[in-house]
Amino acid sequence: VCLPLGLYMSGASQVIFVIATVILCSYYLLASIKFMKERTDPNAKKLLRVSVIFLPLFMIFLGCCQG
């Protein structure tokens, strides 16, 4: 869902945004899968922490790479 945004950018900002998006989304996906497999309190806390950190970091990269 996030990667098509990178297609509207150009040059180095596109590369930086795509790499950052892949890293952020992969970390979020891994935390989600871990919680789905094993529903424990530590996994729930980790998923919450990742989800709270994900969106602000994504918005920072989006803002920095667009202009």
Side-chain angles (χ1 to χ4, degrees):
V1 174
C2 302
L3 289 177
L5 291 173
L7 298 176
Y8 296 105
M9 298 173 192
S10 61
S13 63
Q14 180 182 19
V15 174
I16 292 169
F17 181 75
V18 169
I19 290 171
T21 301
V22 168
I23 291 170
L24 287 172
C25 291
S26 297
Y27 192 57
Y28 190 83
L29 180 65
L30 290 174
S32 300
I33 290 172
K34 189 173 182 180
F35 179 71
M36 186 178 70
K37 286 183 177 180
E38 195 176 329
R39 292 181 179 250
T40 62
D41 284 343
N43 286 343
K45 288 179 184 178
K46 183 176 182 180
L47 180 59
L48 176 64
R49 192 175 313 117
V50 169
S51 65
V52 166
I53 292 172
F54 171 80
L55 190 58
L57 284 178
F58 177 75
M59 291 298 167
I60 288 170
F61 278 110
L62 184 61
C64 290
C65 292
Q66 278 189 347

